[in-house]
Amino acid sequence: MPKLNREPYRVIVEHDTPVAMRDGTILRGSVHRRAEGGPFPTLLARTPYGENTFRMMPVTPALEAGFAVVLQHCRGRGGSDGEFRPWLDEGDDGHDTIEWITAQPWSNGEVVMQGMSYLAGCALQAAATRPPGLTAVVASMTPHDFYDGLKYHGGAFAYGSARNWGVMQAMLGLMHAAEAGRDVGAGLGALLPLLADPAAEVPPDVVPWWHDWVSHRERDAYWQELAQTLVHDRIEVPVMHVAGWFDLFLAGTLENHRRLGGPLVVGPWSHLNPGGSGTGAVNFGFFASGQAIQLEQRQLAFLRGQDSGPAVKIFVMGDDVWRDEEAWPLARAVETRYYLHSDGGLSPEQKAGEPVTFTFDPRDPVPTTGGPTLLPDPVNVGPQDQREVELRPDVLCFTTAPLEADLEVTGPVSVTLHARSSAPSTDWTAKLVNVHPDGRALSVIDGIVRTTRSTSVIDLVATSQVFKAGHRIRVEISSSNHPRFDVNPAVDRPAVQQVYPDSFVTLPVVPR
């Protein structure tokens, strides 16, 4: 019988530990540290999601790696005082908390930060204030900017994720107010219908910040002020980045990596299933998981300054294998144009032809079916069968012949669209689809642009997908993807849309 040589150790845990911010606001959290030994480096994570987030943090692995752990509620959330203002206070509050940690007798003066999504943003915003003592950050699935890639994509409002997150934060705000002794009955009465009906319109006075998000449709002073809380040029500590091919912040994580450098890991994951083995309609198997590549262990090693892993590690879908790379994007990938043909074909050869026409009706938008989503329906994400969507007359499909050999697409993907609309402003959506021999049409990645121009570039961000021999590559073109994005408010009647055959998708083809 195998026997492990492990000695028990005692842990001191302090709950609701108060930390005073520079403006006098008291933030609270929990402190975990070994009872013996020290002083310790400290792993700090800050969250706006309440105590249940603490249960998902790797406290025990961090303790065993030699860290003390501080888990703190953002202001106005959990046990912390103050008003929650998304993104505005996290840099300074993180800075002040790090100063407090380094002054504790159990601290060795070194602090690292780790988190996903908003928590990762807290870490990067703190790093941008250059607090003494901060030595490293692991940032997973987080945007690089609060306008571009978070609330707006290609100029279109990210309605689904903004609504989902905003309603959740409104509820957390009411719970916080109730604990402070306030009467929240009216607020709950207004909010509960939004929770019960994902299609219900959001009154601007029910969800704080909603009016700001929808009224500032351009990158104006409102967004510029937020951008000043995350200036990448001010971040000097090493950062490790973790992304998912089906995460709504894939573009942000890749841009953070481009600006800051550091190791990059990209798996076949979504925002609600980071590190999982399956997303949407596809089970990639156990070896696609973060557990299979010991992601948690590598993150802790990075935070200790002991990482020896590859510069870039990506999961190649289709082959369903992990592969180490020297850099992102891949230098050996060849940008290859596949042109949209008037007869519905798609090939590297450009062909003359008439424009393809469809009518966009803003009262009947194309329903979101999979993709990098964060919707109330947790199943509507990632690769999903598009056949029902493709039956709609307002969805154009351009498809290659069956491939004679495997074709790997790894890197940034975009669609250059030459098109016209009878509306003064319009949206163009594009979706890359993997068509299987049995007819299944599984989405790979998609994008949108809101424009008044006749030539537009639709950013589909990036992927690593092998289209197997016998499969076909398809590009879908339409003018809506709801509720992931709002329906263009400038279009109040059916519009005639024309797509010209000199349009093309740019695929980064990796030679094999």
Side-chain angles (χ1 to χ4, degrees):
M1 175 185 297
K3 294 184 178 181
L4 302 179
N5 184 20
R6 294 176 62 92
E7 295 293 329
Y9 60 91
R10 295 187 302 114
V11 176
I12 296 174
V13 181
E14 302 171 2
H15 291 297
D16 283 337
T17 303
V19 181
M21 300 294 102
R22 65 189 66 184
D23 64 353
T25 302
I26 301 298
L27 306 190
R28 298 181 180 86
S30 62
V31 179
H32 308 248
R33 56 187 174 89
R34 287 181 181 244
E36 289 82 29
F40 308 103
T42 302
L43 171 60
L44 168 65
R46 307 186 61 254
T47 179
Y49 299 119
E51 187 274 334
N52 63 323
T53 310
F54 290 173
R55 303 174 215 166
M56 298 184 289
M57 296 302 296
V59 174
T60 299
L63 290 170
E64 293 186 348
F67 290 102
V69 179
V70 174
L71 307 176
Q72 185 185 69
H73 300 288
C74 296
R75 61 173 63 206
R77 292 294 179 263
S80 290
D81 298 346
E83 176 191 358
F84 178 65
R85 303 188 302 167
W87 314 300
L88 273 173
D89 301 300
E90 310 308 353
D92 288 344
D93 288 353
H95 184 114
D96 294 351
T97 302
I98 292 170
E99 284 192 340
W100 176 86
I101 290 172
T102 57
Q104 303 309 302
W106 42 262
S107 168
N108 73 348
E110 297 180 359
V111 179
V112 298
M113 294 189 73
Q114 178 179 359
M116 172 191 155
S117 193
Y118 195 99
L119 284 71
C122 287
L124 293 177
Q125 288 176 283
T129 70
R130 297 180 178 175
L134 184 66
T135 61
V137 167
V138 172
S140 301
M141 298 184 174
T142 196
H144 74 288
D145 184 80
F146 304 111
Y147 174 80
D148 182 24
L150 177 61
K151 293 305 177 222
Y152 286 83
H153 295 246
F157 181 50
Y159 174 86
S161 60
R163 184 191 190 282
N164 193 23
W165 193 82
V167 168
M168 175 186 63
Q169 284 298 337
M171 177 59 74
L172 290 171
L174 291 174
M175 294 168 61
H176 187 267
E179 186 172 349
R182 296 181 181 178
D183 182 1
V184 299
L188 283 173
L191 188 62
L192 289 176
L194 301 183
L195 293 168
D197 181 8
E201 288 298 319
V202 179
D205 58 338
V206 174
V207 176
W209 333 289
W210 185 263
H211 176 73
D212 291 334
W213 297 345
V214 299
S215 61
H216 295 277
R217 293 186 171 273
E218 303 294 332
R219 190 182 179 84
D220 56 14
Y222 172 81
W223 298 107
Q224 292 288 0
E225 179 184 5
L226 287 173
Q228 293 307 306
T229 70
L230 179 55
V231 179
H232 290 77
D233 290 346
R234 290 190 52 81
I235 298 176
E236 298 178 326
V237 300
V239 180
M240 178 179 180
H241 312 268
V242 180
W245 293 129
F246 304 106
D247 178 45
L248 74 164
F249 300 140
L250 172 61
T253 306
L254 294 177
E255 182 62 15
N256 286 329
H257 170 260
R258 187 189 71 82
R259 297 185 185 188
L260 300 174
L264 171 67
V265 178
V266 191
W269 308 320
S270 68
H271 204 71
L272 294 181
N273 191 25
S277 59
T279 301
V282 177
N283 180 7
F284 295 99
F286 167 77
F287 291 104
S289 67
Q291 182 182 1
I293 60 170
Q294 297 186 308
L295 181 58
E296 183 179 275
Q297 293 89 327
R298 185 180 178 192
Q299 290 172 325
L300 290 171
F302 176 82
L303 293 173
R304 289 302 305 264
Q306 300 169 349
D307 179 40
S308 59
V312 175
K313 192 177 193 71
I314 60 174
F315 188 82
V316 183
M317 299 178 291
D319 284 350
D320 295 348
V321 295
W322 288 98
R323 192 171 68 206
D324 297 345
E325 297 288 350
E326 296 181 356
W328 179 270
L330 280 57
R332 66 184 184 279
V334 179
E335 290 192 354
T336 305
R337 293 182 177 183
Y338 277 68
Y339 289 90
L340 283 55
H341 300 161
S342 298
D343 60 1
L346 181 70
S347 78
E349 292 76 39
Q350 186 174 2
K351 296 181 180 180
E354 295 298 316
V356 185
T357 301
F358 68 93
T359 299
F360 165 58
D361 188 343
R363 299 165 300 182
D364 182 26
V366 176
T368 298
T369 306
T373 60
L374 184 62
L375 301 174
D377 179 4
V379 178
N380 189 6
V381 66
Q384 297 287 349
D385 197 336
Q386 303 297 308
R387 282 179 289 186
E388 184 174 346
V389 169
E390 292 171 352
L391 294 174
R392 294 175 57 105
D394 57 352
V395 176
L396 304 182
C397 295
F398 303 90
T399 312
T400 68
L403 299 175
E404 296 181 358
D406 292 358
L407 187 144
E408 179 183 337
V409 174
T410 295
V413 178
S414 65
V415 170
T416 301
L417 204 65
H418 301 288
R420 296 185 184 277
S421 173
S422 63
S425 169
T426 192
D427 292 353
W428 296 108
T429 65
K431 188 179 298 179
L432 184 65
V433 178
N434 181 12
V435 183
H436 291 238
D438 62 6
R440 285 177 299 145
L442 296 182
S443 52
V444 177
I445 197 69
D446 60 63
I448 191 170
V449 67
R450 182 161 294 172
T451 184
T452 59
R453 300 178 178 179
S454 58
T455 298
S456 304
V457 177
I458 309 172
D459 183 10
L460 277 65
V461 190
T463 191
S464 182
Q465 175 73 55
V466 176
F467 294 86
K468 307 298 284 186
H471 288 224
R472 292 176 292 162
I473 302 172
R474 177 171 294 162
V475 173
E476 294 178 11
I477 300 295
S478 191
S479 290
S480 55
N481 181 356
H482 186 74
R484 186 183 174 204
F485 301 108
D486 68 332
V487 178
N488 191 325
V491 183
D492 59 1
R493 65 193 67 184
V496 177
Q497 313 288 79
Q498 292 183 312
V499 176
Y500 288 80
D502 53 349
S503 304
F504 56 89
V505 59
T506 301
L507 301 177
V509 176
V510 177
R512 298 195 137 203

